[in-house]
Amino acid sequence: MSQLEKVQADYEKFTEQFQSVIISTVNAQGIPNASYAPFVMDNAQNIYIYVSGLSTHTKNIYDNPHVCVLFIEDEAQTNQIFARRRLSFDCTATLIERETDQWNKIVEQFQERFGEIIEVLRGLSDFRIFQLIPNEGRFVVGFGAAYHISGDNLKQLVQITGDKG
């Protein structure tokens, strides 16, 4: 197996170790906010978050649908704190309307993954589901080992090199 094939296999499984994702949003005045949310992901790499309408990040998403997400290796698991394995995506957020077929399907996925708490959240009218659609991303596995992800095939890594070519 080549180095690229090994990294590709790591990339395809990387998000499976996480139950939540770090999200970065920006409000109407351009002030950033970092937070997190539990998530589910579909086969097309779309990320779904189930968040309170009262939270800062939800208000920001309504003001500006551009969201950056980050999955990052646990500090306790890393060999080098300056080179933690991480995956980020620049995304566009879209609200999934409550009680639609798509909303019900996503809620069921949350229920399967997170259990009883989802029954409670279903009853809270301020909770929203957003679909975060990745436009491009970056998978970093160490020093000098970064891979770009973009286009129609978000499953395909392209190594980033110093070549200006």
Side-chain angles (χ1 to χ4, degrees):
M1 179 181 287
S2 74
Q3 180 64 23
L4 181 58
E5 289 170 329
K6 181 183 179 314
V7 172
Q8 183 74 43
D10 288 347
Y11 165 63
E12 290 172 10
K13 294 182 179 181
F14 189 68
T15 59
E16 292 174 9
Q17 65 187 295
F18 302 96
Q19 293 187 52
S20 64
V21 61
I22 298 168
I23 58 177
S24 178
T25 60
V26 178
N27 71 12
Q29 292 76 39
I31 298 171
N33 174 261
S35 190
Y36 83 98
F39 76 97
V40 295
M41 184 181 277
D42 66 21
N43 291 333
Q45 305 294 96
N46 294 306
I47 300 158
Y48 298 88
I49 57 173
Y50 202 6
V51 292
S52 170
L54 304 175
S55 68
T56 299
H57 52 259
T58 300
K59 292 173 185 171
N60 288 353
I61 291 170
Y62 280 118
D63 287 340
N64 182 343
H66 301 288
V67 177
C68 185
V69 299
L70 175 67
F71 301 91
I72 188 163
E73 179 180 40
D74 187 320
E75 287 184 6
Q77 304 298 317
T78 191
N79 293 324
Q80 175 47 260
I81 196 68
F82 285 92
R84 287 165 68 189
R85 291 184 336 139
R86 58 200 177 273
L87 170 63
S88 63
F89 284 116
D90 295 331
C91 302
T92 303
T94 304
L95 179 68
I96 305 297
E97 293 296 330
R98 283 182 79 87
E99 305 303 334
T100 61
D101 287 344
Q102 184 181 18
W103 187 89
N104 286 318
K105 178 182 169 190
I106 300 302
V107 167
E108 289 303 317
Q109 290 174 349
F110 272 96
Q111 179 89 39
E112 288 172 21
R113 187 161 193 204
F114 299 106
E116 288 181 24
I117 185 68
I118 301 305
E119 284 300 319
V120 174
L121 299 181
R122 278 182 103 151
L124 301 175
S125 62
D126 70 294
F127 269 75
R128 312 278 186 266
I129 295 176
F130 286 96
Q131 178 184 24
L132 307 181
I133 304 164
N135 304 309
E136 64 180 337
R138 184 174 285 216
F139 185 48
V140 179
V141 295
F143 289 119
Y147 298 83
H148 186 73
I149 308 149
S150 68
D152 294 333
N153 186 0
L154 291 172
K155 295 187 184 288
Q156 182 63 49
L157 298 175
V158 176
Q159 186 161 19
I160 299 170
T161 64
D163 298 340
K164 299 282 188 221

